[in-house]
C-alpha cells in the first residue's frame, strides 16, 4: 500500500514545497500551539516575521474556536487525522474574519504537530479551496522529480514512489515494484560504486549521479535521502527525493567553459534551452529545442530571436518586440515570464521561460541563458475554463430572465397586462398589514365597464376584448408606481391605492371615470363611447381586513350601477368634505 506523499518529506524539504502554496499555512505544536513554521503567505498575512511568531505568539493568539485547544486536540486525537474547522481569525490589521481551516496532525522531527491551511473566504470560495488542495496534491505528484520511500533503509524496495518517477526514469509509478527494472540497475555504471558507498553509510546522504532513462539517455540527477526512525530510534525506512538536474549541470558546464560536457548535459535535458547574445541573436539551442520548434541542427544559430521563434505580436495583441527589448535592457526584471512562441510550421505555442543573465567582471551583459517548458495545454485548459464560466454566467442570466418571465405570466392578466386576482389578494393582504403597522391609510377602487354585455352582443367579443385591453392600458398609464391595478374578473377591475385617504381615492376615481368616458375607442370601424361605474372603500374607515374591504368596495360599485351607472360611489352614503 502506498504511503501518503506528506510522510516522505522531512521538514526542510516539506517547508520549501509549502512556501510555493499561495494560501497561508502554519505548522504548530499540538500540545501548546507554539509556531514551528509559517509559509510566506502566512507571514505576509500576519505582518510578523517567523522569528516573532516563534518567540512571542501561539496559534490561539490569532484564532478562536469553541472549547479552544481542547476541541482541536479532540478533533486530531488520532495520528495523521484530518479535520476541517470553522474558526474566527483575529486579524492584527483589521476585524475578526471567518476562516475555513483544514488541519492535519502529523509528526515532524519527533514532535506531534498541526499543519493548518487557512482560507479566509471559506463559504463563498470553498470550491476554490478544493482546487488549491488539488494543486497541493499535484505539486507533490508532478514535481520535477520523484519522491520515494524504501523499506528496509538499505534497499531499493519501494513502499511508495511519486508520479514524478515517469519524468525521471521513464517508468510510471504503477510499474514499481515488479514491472520496472531494479532501480539500482538504472544508476549509470560509472556511478554505482559511489552510490553504493553512500547507501551503505547508514546515514542520510546527498549525491549526484547519472541515471539511465528508459529512452536510453543518461540524465544527471540529485538524490537527497534521509533515514526514518521509529519511536524507539530504530531505523525503519529510507525516504528521498530524486530530481533531474540536467539543466543545472548544463549551466554549470557553461560557466566552467567545459563545452563537451556542457553539450552532453544540455542536450539530454527535456527542456528548451537557448542562449541569447546582448543583441537578441540566438547563440545556442539544444536538441530538444530544435525538435520542439521543428528546426534542423544549427539552423537557428546567429538568427535574431524576433521573427524566428518569437513573433512580433502575440495572439493576445501584446507587443513582443517591446518585451524582448525590455528583456535585453534589464534581464533581471524577467526571471520568469510567459509568452507565445513560433514553430517553423507556423504553429503558435505557449512557453514558460526562466531567464538567467550572465555578466562579465565589469558587469556587462554577455548572454542570457533561457530555459523553457511548454504550457500550451495548461493555458488552453485555462481558456476553456474561462469560456465555460462565461457561458455558465450567460445561462444563469437566461434562467433568471425566464424565471422573471414565468413569474410575470403567473401574476399578469394576458389580455389587459394588469395584475391578476391572485396577485391582488396577496398584495392587498401585505399592503393592509403594512398600513396597520404604520397606522397609515389604504383605499380600494372597484370599477366595472357599463353595458359591457351590449358591446359584446352588438360588436362581438373581439370588440369587447379591445375595450378591456384599452381600459388596462388606461389604468396603467394613470396609476402611481406603488398602485396595484388588477383585472378582478370579466369586465370588473380593482385598484389598490397604498397610502391614499378616502377623499384622495374618490377624486382619482372621478378623474378616471371622466377621462375614460371622454376617450373614443375605434374598433373595426366603429367608434365606441364607454363609461365606467366605480366603488371606493378605505381602511380604516370601512373595514380592517382585506376581504371585508373588497366587499365594501364591490357593494359601492353596485350602488353606482344601481344609481344610473357612469358614477362613483363610496362605501358610505355621503363623502365627508373634510376628509
Amino acid at each position: 500500500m502506498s504511503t501518503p506523499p506528506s510522510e516522505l518529506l522531512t521538514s526542510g524539504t516539506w517547508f520549501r514545497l509549502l512556501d510555493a502554496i499561495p494560501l497561508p499555512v502554519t505548522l504548530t505544536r499540538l500540545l501548546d500551539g507554539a509556531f514551528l513554521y509559517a509559509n510566506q503567505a502566512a507571514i505576509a498575512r500576519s505582518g510578523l516575521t517567523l522569528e516573532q511568531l516563534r518567540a512571542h505568539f501561539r496559534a490561539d493568539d490569532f484564532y478562536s474556536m469553541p472549547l479552544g485547544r481542547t476541541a482541536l486536540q479532540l478533533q486530531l486525537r488520532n495520528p495523521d487525522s484530518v479535520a476541517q474547522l470553522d474558526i474566527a481569525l483575529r486579524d492584527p490589521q483589521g476585524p475578526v474574519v471567518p476562516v475555513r481551516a483544514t488541519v492535519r496532525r502529523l509528526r515532524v522531527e519527533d514532535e506531534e504537530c498541526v499543519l493548518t491551511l487557512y482560507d479566509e473566504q471559506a463559504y463563498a470560495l470553498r470550491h476554490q479551496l478544493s482546487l488549491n488542495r488539488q494543486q497541493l496534491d499535484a505539486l507533490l505528484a508532478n514535481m520535477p522529480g520523484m519522491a520515494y520511500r524504501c523499506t528496509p533503509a538499505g534497499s531499493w524496495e519501494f513502499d511508495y514512489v511519486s508520479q514524478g518517477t515517469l519524468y525521471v526514469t521513464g517508468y510510471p509509478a504503477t510499474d514499481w515494484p515488479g514491472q520496472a527494472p531494479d532501480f539500482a540497475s538504472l544508476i549509470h555504471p560509472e556511478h554505482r560504486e559511489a552510490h553504493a558507498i553512500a547507501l551503505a553509510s547508514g546515514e542520510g546522504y546527498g549525491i549526484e549521479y547519472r541515471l539511465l532513462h528508459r529512452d536510453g539517455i543518461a540524465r544527471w540527477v540529485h538524490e537527497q535521502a534521509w533515514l526514518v526512525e521509529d519511536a524507539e530510534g530504530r531505523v525503519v525506512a529510507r525516504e528521498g527525493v530524486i530530481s533531474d538536474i540536467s539543466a543545472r549541470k548544463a549551466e554549470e558546464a557553461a560557466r566552467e567553459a567545459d563545452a563537451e560536457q556542457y553539450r552532453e548535459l544540455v542536450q539530454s535535458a527535456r527542456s528548451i534551452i537557448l542562449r541569447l547574445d546582448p543583441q537578441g541573436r540566438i547563440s545556442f539551442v539544444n536538441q530538444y529545442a530544435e525538435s520542439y520548434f521543428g528546426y534542423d541542427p544549427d539552423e537557428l544559430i546567429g538568427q535574431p530571436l524576433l521573427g524566428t521563434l518569437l513573433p512580433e505580436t502575440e495572439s493576445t495583441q501584446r507587443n513582443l518586440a517591446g518585451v524582448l527589448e525590455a528583456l535585453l535592457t534589464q534581464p533581471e526584471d524577467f526571471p520568469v515570464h510567459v509568452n507565445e512562441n513560433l514553430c517553423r510550421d507556423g504553429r503558435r505555442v505557449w512557453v514558460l521561460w526562466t531567464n538567467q543573465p550572465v555578466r562579465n567582471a565589469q558587469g556587462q551583459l554577455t548572454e542570457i541563458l533561457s530555459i523553457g517548458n511548454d504550457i500550451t495545454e495548461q493555458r488552453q485548459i485555462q481558456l476553456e475554463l474561462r469560456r465555460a464560466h462565461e457561458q455558465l454566467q450567460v445561462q444563469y442570466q437566461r434562467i433568471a430572465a425566464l424565471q422573471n418571465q414565468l413569474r410575470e405570466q403567473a401574476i399578469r392578466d394576458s389580455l389587459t397586462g394588469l395584475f391578476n386576482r391572485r396577485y391582488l389578494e396577496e398584495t392587498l393582504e401585505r399592503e393592509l398589514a403594512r398600513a396597520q403597522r404604520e397606522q397609515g391609510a389604504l383605499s380600494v377602487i372597484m370599477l366595472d365597464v357599463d353595458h359591457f354585455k351590449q358591446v359584446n352582443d352588438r360588436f362581438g367579443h373581439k370588440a369587447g376584448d379591445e375595450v378591456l385591453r384599452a381600459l388596462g392600458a388606461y389604468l396603467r398609464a394613470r396609476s402611481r408606481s406603488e398602485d396595484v391595478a388588477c383585472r378582478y374578473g370579466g369586465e370588473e377591475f380593482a385598484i389598490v391605492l397604498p397610502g391614499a385617504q378616502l377623499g384622495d381615492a374618490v377624486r382619482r376615481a372621478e378623474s378616471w371615470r371622466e377621462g375614460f368616458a371622454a376617450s373614443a375607442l375605434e374598433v373595426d370601424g366603429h367608434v365606441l363611447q364607454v363609461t365606467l361605474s366605480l366603488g371606493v372603500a378605505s381602511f380604516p374607515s370601512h373595514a380592517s381586513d382585506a376581504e371585508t374591504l373588497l366587499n365594501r368596495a364591490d357593494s359601492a360599485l353596485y350602488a353606482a350601477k344601481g344609481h344610473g351607472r357612469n358614477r362613483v360611489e363610496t362605501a358610505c352614503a355621503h363623502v365627508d368634505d373634510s376628509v
Side-chain angles (χ1 to χ4, degrees), residues 247-262:
R248 178 171 66 79
K249 281 288 188 178
E251 183 179 347
E252 291 173 356
R255 291 180 180 276
E256 296 169 2
D258 188 347
E260 183 177 353
Q261 183 185 18
Y262 171 79

Side-chain angles (χ1 to χ4, degrees), residues 225-239:
W226 53 92
L227 302 182
V228 181
E229 298 178 350
D230 61 14
E232 286 73 32
R234 294 187 297 264
V235 175
V236 295
R238 184 179 87 259
E239 297 175 350

Side-chain angles (χ1 to χ4, degrees), residues 15 34-38 49-58:
F15 294 166
F35 282 97
L36 303 176
Y37 164 77
T49 67
L50 181 56
E51 289 71 20
Q52 289 173 322
L53 289 172
R54 287 173 171 169
H56 305 295
F57 295 92
R58 295 289 185 267

Side-chain angles (χ1 to χ4, degrees), residues 116-186:
T116 307
L117 182 146
Y118 303 88
D119 185 349
E120 297 183 20
Q121 304 179 37
Y123 301 100
L125 298 178
R126 284 187 183 176
H127 178 64
Q128 185 62 44
L129 174 60
S130 175
L131 293 180
N132 289 336
R133 291 181 188 145
Q134 295 174 22
Q135 291 173 358
L136 175 58
D137 292 339
L139 178 65
L140 292 176
N142 301 298
M143 54 188 281
M146 60 175 281
Y148 71 84
R149 179 185 178 102
C150 291
T151 306
S155 73
W156 280 111
E157 296 180 16
F158 290 118
D159 296 329
Y160 167 83
V161 290
S162 69
Q163 298 297 325
T165 187
L166 178 63
Y167 177 85
V168 174
T169 70
Y171 296 93
T174 53
D175 284 0
W176 306 87
Q179 299 181 43
D182 179 66
F183 191 87
S185 67
L186 299 181

